[in-house]
Amino acid sequence: MNLATLMACALCREALTEHHDGASVSYRHPVAEKDHPVTPISAALLRDVFHRCHTCSTGLPVWDYRTGLIQLLAMDAGVVQTYNDQWQICYPCAQLIEADDIDALTTRCASLVGWRPGSIEYTQLNLLHRGIVLGREDRTLLATTPWPPARITADMLPKVRDRFTGLLRGSVRLPDPINEPGWRRRLADQLDVAPMYWVNDEFTGLVNAVSIEQPTARLTDEIAPTPDGLIVWAEPVGTTEELAAVSWTQTGDGWQLIGYRSIGTAVPDALMPQMRHEIGWLLPIHTAHLTRRAAIDGDHPLSPLVTTWLLIHQQMADTVDTKLPTGTIRAYQRSRRPAPEVKTIRIKPRTATTAEPDQRRGSTRTRAKPDHRFWVSGHERQQAYGPGRSLRRPVDIQPFLKGDEHLPIKLSTTVRVLRGRPDTGTGTPE
């Protein structure tokens, strides 16, 4: 399930608010209705979608506040202006709302558009803000905001994980279905002890190069490196280049997967420490429950995870321990928690090989070899076993990249040459 499907109006290109009435979903223009009908379309199909805070119109929205439907009546004209009942608010404006500081909120927003205190516009804005602040019922962390990505290094992963598990155990409302309390607690407990993986820049480039054309793979315990885990790439991966991390936790019949985007520095510097403490670095944008032997190919939103698993399973990767800061180790010791385990995934250093022609006996002809690496599709094979190997059982042969390791990877649109380099283990590119 995609938690981050942003819809916009095809006519005005403003991001729309989503409203649920049982099984039906409707969309509204932000703040107030326009002089044209709502024409919903996926924001991914439009350019320059306006997706900003509903109060100041400048900051990226973090929270979705829910109120009753707000209406303002102009007594002299007898005109009723109907506004929304959902308000997507940036972090600075949310700080003022949570402090119940209506006047400061109005001053901040009015100053950005040049409205002076005492003007009609200022007074109407203050009344609207009064309705939002005093009428707010709850707020949900937004999953649709197109944050600039954060640079997450290997040694940051324990703190990154702790912030997200703290979010799961806290009172912050998350998008459904992640918001279910029992599910949140179980996920936090599993992630607390799960191994963490950081994929270095070069291996991330490999994943980005090949994941979109990855053939169908069957999810099995053999290709998952551990039953539970959290993996973070050096830069966003996937077709939309927004997937920063994926966590997986084992269930009775498969795995629960959550995909995350990372939250970059898009709020004032003075508020960043507080935002990192309250929200952290990762924002869930996709969730999926995948059973064993589920079929996943390059079209799946979380295919970069499976691609990474396949490349590790093919032994194309070195997985090395990451040296963590002394402060991180001591913090875990003080809280009597096991030392965190962080592995850095990198391309396996190239082995020295001598190419030999494949010659047939009695012939000087050589078999043609490919000049690039490419995906070979997976398939099912009947494996012999039992007494006299008389019985058969199906075995999954997973997709793999074929070709000598020194060859470039050739896809339909790109050619990538990747080489294994030593890694410092700190997560920083060399």
Side-chain angles (χ1 to χ4, degrees), residues 190-361:
Q190 288 175 289
L191 288 179
D192 266 342
V193 295
M196 293 170 282
Y197 300 87
W198 182 81
V199 185
N200 77 352
D201 295 78
E202 202 164 35
F203 204 94
T204 297
L206 172 59
V207 172
N208 251 334
V210 302
S211 65
I212 191 172
E213 296 191 14
Q214 176 214 300
T216 299
R218 296 285 180 180
L219 296 192
T220 64
D221 294 309
E222 286 72 27
I223 67 168
T226 51
D228 305 326
L230 170 68
I231 195 165
V232 179
W233 291 275
E235 61 182 31
V237 294
T239 54
T240 59
E241 296 185 347
E242 66 180 12
L243 189 67
V246 177
S247 65
W248 66 95
T249 51
Q250 198 169 62
T251 64
D253 61 348
W255 296 268
Q256 184 69 43
L257 274 61
I258 300 179
Y260 309 84
R261 76 160 82 237
S262 61
I263 302 174
T265 54
V267 302
D269 291 343
L271 292 177
M272 277 308 300
Q274 184 173 346
M275 183 175 176
R276 290 293 186 221
H277 179 77
E278 184 178 13
I279 298 173
W281 286 263
L282 297 180
L283 182 66
I285 58 173
H286 193 97
T287 182
H289 178 256
L290 300 178
T291 58
R292 285 177 177 81
R293 301 201 74 250
I296 300 295
D297 61 18
D299 290 331
H300 194 279
L302 301 180
S303 66
L305 172 69
V306 180
T307 301
T308 304
W309 284 0
L310 290 173
L311 297 176
I312 295 172
H313 183 67
Q314 194 181 335
Q315 299 182 351
M316 294 183 63
D318 263 350
T319 304
V320 297
D321 292 329
T322 300
K323 184 178 181 180
L324 298 176
T326 303
T328 299
I329 302 298
R330 289 177 177 172
Y332 271 67
Q333 291 173 343
R334 286 193 298 269
S335 60
R336 297 184 179 182
R337 298 171 61 190
E341 178 186 355
V342 178
K343 301 285 188 180
T344 292
I345 301 174
R346 62 188 186 183
I347 293 177
K348 181 179 288 188
R350 183 177 300 169
T351 58
T353 59
T354 302
E356 296 181 358
D358 182 14
Q359 296 184 350
R360 297 180 180 177
R361 183 178 298 176

Side-chain angles (χ1 to χ4, degrees), residues 151-172:
R151 174 64 177 179
I152 299 176
T153 56
D155 55 351
M156 294 169 58
L157 259 59
K159 183 182 292 186
V160 169
R161 180 184 64 179
D162 286 353
R163 286 291 183 272
F164 182 65
T165 55
L167 199 65
L168 289 171
R169 292 190 174 98
S171 59
V172 170

